[in-house]
Every structure is written in C-alpha cells, then in structure tokens.
Amino acid sequence: MERILKAAILGMGNMGRGHASSMMKMEGVKLSALCSEPIGDARRFAEEEHLECQIFDDFDQMLEEAQIDVLYICLPPFAHNGQFEKAAKRGIHIFIEKPIALTLKRGRAMAEAAEKNKIVTQVGYQMRFGVAVKKFKEYIADGTAGRMTLYMANYECNSLHGPWWRDAKRCGGQVFEQVIHLYDMSLYLMGKASAVNGYVANLCHKQVEGYTVEDTSVSNIRFKNGALGSVCGSNCSVKNQWNARFRVICENMTAEFEDQNHAVFTFTGEEEIRVEEIAADADCTYEEDRYFIRTVLGEEKPMADIREGYEGLKLVSAVVSSSEKEGSTVRVE
Ligand SMILES: NC(=O)c1ccc[n+]([C@@H]2O[C@H](COP(=O)([O-])OP(=O)(O)OC[C@H]3O[C@@H](n4cnc5c(N)ncnc54)[C@H](O)[C@@H]3O)[C@@H](O)[C@H]2O)c1
C-alpha cells in the first residue's frame, strides 16, 4: 500500500502558504496540521482552501497532539528557538526555510540534532531546482565544463519588505535573508569556500524608520579548489523587480544565468564556439517540495540538507564579520 506522509507547517506567512499549496497538489503526503502565532494566518489558509486539518498557535502543543511525519519550518529568522531540535528528537523529518538561523551556534545545534536523530532534512534553496541549474550541474559532473574558475553574482531589488525584514536584529540583513540564495549557489556550483572578504552598508535607507539592515553588499570569495567568486547585493535597484543573476566561467564553457530556469551556455573548449540556450518555467517551490517528500520516501538522495544550510550560514556570517573588520579576510572553517 502507498505510504501517505502526514505533513505539518510551522509559520503560515508567504512561504508557509506556498509550501502548503505544494502539499495539497502532491501525492504521497497529506497536510494534517498548521501552526502560526498569531493563529489567524493558519486559520485563514485552512478556511480559504477548505482544508480539514488541526490548527495550532502553540508549537509544543502541535508536537504533542498531531501525528507528524514531516515538518515545514517557515518562520522568520528571529523566531527559531529550538523547534527544529524538538521535532528532530521525535524523528520528524524537517524542511526549513533559509536562513536556518541568525547565529552559527543555533545553526550548528540544528545540524547536530538532525545527524544525531538521523532525520531527512532540506533547506529552502529553491534556486537549485531550476532547469538551467540542473543542466549546468550535469555539465560539471560529466566533465564538459572543465575546471571551475570564476563565479559572479548579483542580487537586486528595491522593496521595504515587512517590519521584521527591515530590523537587523530580527532578520539578520539582506545578505542573510536574500543574497544567501546566491551564496548557496556559489557553494553548490563551485564547492566549499575557504576565505571571504566583504563590505555591507546602508546607503539609501538611513531615513526610513526601523530600517537597520544593509541595502548594499559586496564580497570576494576564495573556494577550496582555488576558484574565485564575487557576490553583490542591493536593495536600491529597480522597484518591483527581484533579480538573482549569476555567471560562471569554467575552463570549457561560460554559463550566464538570468535566473535558475534561464541560461545561455557558451562552449569555449571546442573547435568552434557553440551556444545552448535554456528557457524553462519550472515552479521551483513545488519542485523542491516534491524532492523533499521523495527523499523522505527513500526515492531521492538528500539535497541541500541542514549541514549544507549551515555551510551557507557560515559563508554569509563570514561576509558580515569581514565587513565589521573593515573588509579584512575571514577564513571559512
Ligand atoms: N526560499 C525562498 O525563496 C524564500 C522566499 C521568501 C521568504 N523565505 C524565508 O521564509 C521564512 C519566512 O518568511 P515569510 O516571508 O513566509 O514570512 P512571513 O512574515 O510572511 O510569515 C511568517 C509566519 O510565521 C508566523 N510566526 C512568526 N513567529 C512565530 C512563532 N514564534 N510561532 C509560530 N508562528 C510564528 C507568522 O504568524 C507568519 O504566519 C524566512 O526565513 C524567509 O527568509 C524564503
């Protein structure tokens, strides 16, 4: 008989709703409990979707009273306070949105809890599930790309976002919250980082009340395999646009990504230069959710697990701590 996983979601804002919608379309999983504090977000979703499930505003109570095989943690960064470890202790498999934490100590505790309790984990790095990114990974794996040399990435938007996002203490900053997608992509494509220097600055939003995060950032990365990288972020760019573009130069090909689904690959290691264009419209939130459920069911290998989430956290923490030391080099241990 087909196994049906019981799924619960903690945090029913933008991302909680997105993952809940995926669950409702997917086979092999049933959405059985929602939790948000205040409870209104969870209630509203269940009513709008005519969903029959348990609704909570207390995470501990949900753990006690609901049957849960997989948990989605979709909280703002400041609200993580041990929910991951409590669920891991019960053997519940966990999908968690990025950034997994605001401090390395919290992130490390999560990774250790997952490993100790042998649970399946996945972090919300949905860009990894784009069609163009998947194709490029194949070219790296089969040797077509050749040696990885240079990663260049830009995250740009112009939005005030919500109150917790603008507050450095609650959100961590744009590097932690958004540009982290491109830092994760650098680790996914280029391999582990060894050293970083960076600067972050608030240049356009000093007059905005409560806006204490940076709106401009830049970093240089050295990877363990000798490759180099550079990542920039801005919240002073074009309004109503969210762009996460990156370009990778390898020994035998140059890959230019407009986003995770759109890229132009120029093969430079052949006698004549050849170009391949990829244009797809994969719903990467749905794809990452399906992948996670399939991993829990034993049909896929873990991808973007909590240990990789912790590596991403180490990298963005290194950028910010380099900036605090006037851009001096910070080793990523
Ligand atoms: N992967 C992506 O592309 C992507 C995109 C946007 C946001 N995110 C991440 O998802 C996370 C959530 O972001 P969002 O935009 O959904 O936030 P949001 O503010 O829209 O929603 C947060 C939800 O959490 C609930 N909540 C807050 N504290 C709580 C607590 N202590 N207990 C229970 N519920 C609590 C709120 O009531 C709300 O329902 C953030 O870490 C963010 O970085 C990821």
Side-chain angles (χ1 to χ4, degrees):
M1 207 173 72
E2 193 199 352
R3 187 173 164 214
I4 306 288
L5 299 172
K6 292 192 178 65
I9 301 191
L10 172 62
M12 283 303 295
N14 296 321
M15 291 318 290
R17 293 173 72 91
H19 294 300
S21 301
S22 294
M23 299 292 114
M24 292 174 70
K25 288 185 225 151
M26 219 179 284
E27 288 180 3
V29 61
K30 180 181 180 303
L31 199 47
S32 56
L34 305 177
C35 177
S36 75
E37 160 61 62
I39 202 165
D41 288 352
R43 252 195 206 131
R44 206 168 310 115
F45 182 85
E47 277 167 20
E48 282 167 15
E49 299 296 328
H50 308 290
L51 181 69
E52 280 188 29
C53 70
Q54 292 173 279
I55 309 272
F56 299 90
D57 63 359
D58 183 291
F59 177 68
D60 292 333
Q61 191 188 353
M62 179 166 82
L63 274 190
E64 282 301 323
E65 294 180 13
Q67 283 186 354
I68 306 172
D69 300 306
V70 297
L71 172 69
Y72 275 70
I73 300 182
C74 305
L75 295 173
F78 69 89
H80 295 285
N81 62 16
Q83 301 94 336
F84 185 104
E85 291 91 320
K86 283 180 188 169
K89 211 169 168 191
R90 290 174 182 248
I92 295 171
H93 305 292
I94 303 173
F95 182 106
I96 181 168
E97 270 304 340
K98 42 50 61 179
I100 60 167
L102 290 177
T103 65
L104 293 179
K105 190 175 171 204
R106 284 256 72 251
R108 201 163 39 239
M110 290 172 172
E112 285 169 5
E115 284 152 13
K116 185 171 170 206
N117 294 288
K118 298 188 172 50
I119 57 164
V120 174
T121 56
Q122 192 173 311
V123 179
Y125 290 126
Q126 40 98 359
M127 288 185 75
R128 293 189 184 202
F129 292 84
V131 173
V133 169
K134 283 188 194 168
K135 189 73 202 163
F136 186 44
K137 277 295 273 187
E138 284 171 26
Y139 286 135
I140 296 172
D142 70 13
T144 304
R147 183 171 184 165
M148 308 302 287
T149 68
L150 185 60
Y151 175 85
M152 293 163 280
N154 279 315
Y155 191 99
E156 292 179 27
C157 61
N158 187 339
S159 166
L160 286 182
H161 305 89
W164 66 255
W165 194 98
R166 297 194 285 271
D167 176 356
K169 287 206 177 72
R170 290 194 284 167
C171 138
Q174 193 189 19
V175 169
F176 270 67
E177 250 297 309
Q178 289 179 321
V179 196
I180 195 168
H181 280 292
L182 291 174
Y183 283 103
D184 172 67
M185 190 55 64
S186 81
L187 299 175
Y188 187 49
L189 299 177
M190 313 299 281
K192 283 192 172 174
S194 61
V196 167
N197 37 39
Y199 291 98
V200 306
N202 180 355
L203 302 179
C204 306
H205 293 87
K206 284 208 181 82
Q207 314 313 326
V208 179
E209 203 189 329
Y211 193 110
T212 52
V213 300
E214 77 279 4
D215 59 19
T216 305
S217 61
V218 59
S219 72
N220 294 324
I221 309 168
R222 195 174 65 224
F223 297 94
K224 287 194 172 158
N225 59 10
L228 302 176
S230 146
V231 179
C232 299
S234 172
N235 192 26
C236 308
S237 187
V238 185
K239 280 205 164 76
N240 301 319
Q241 285 190 19
W242 276 262
N243 289 316
R245 300 198 174 102
F246 52 106
R247 185 174 159 88
V248 189
I249 301 183
C250 315
E251 196 180 6
N252 299 325
M253 71 183 282
T254 292
E256 172 115 39
F257 290 83
E258 194 186 318
D259 59 38
Q260 62 270 32
N261 278 320
H262 296 83
V264 176
F265 299 150
T266 305
F267 297 89
T268 53
E270 300 167 15
E271 250 174 47
E272 285 199 19
I273 285 185
R274 181 170 62 85
V275 172
E276 178 184 349
E277 282 188 38
I278 310 275
D281 61 357
D283 172 348
C284 293
T285 301
Y286 180 79
E287 291 300 320
E288 68 178 350
D289 289 335
R290 196 169 62 118
Y291 192 97
F292 174 61
I293 295 302
R294 284 173 58 84
T295 308
V296 173
L297 292 171
E299 295 164 9
E300 296 284 2
K301 287 191 188 139
M303 152 91 102
D305 66 12
I306 192 76
R307 182 57 66 177
E308 291 188 68
Y310 178 58
E311 290 299 322
L313 185 63
K314 275 173 22 184
L315 188 51
V316 294
S317 300
V319 173
V320 174
S321 81
S322 168
S323 182
E324 286 161 0
K325 295 173 195 147
E326 293 297 327
S328 57
T329 301
V330 173
R331 293 202 58 79
V332 187
E333 301 301 344

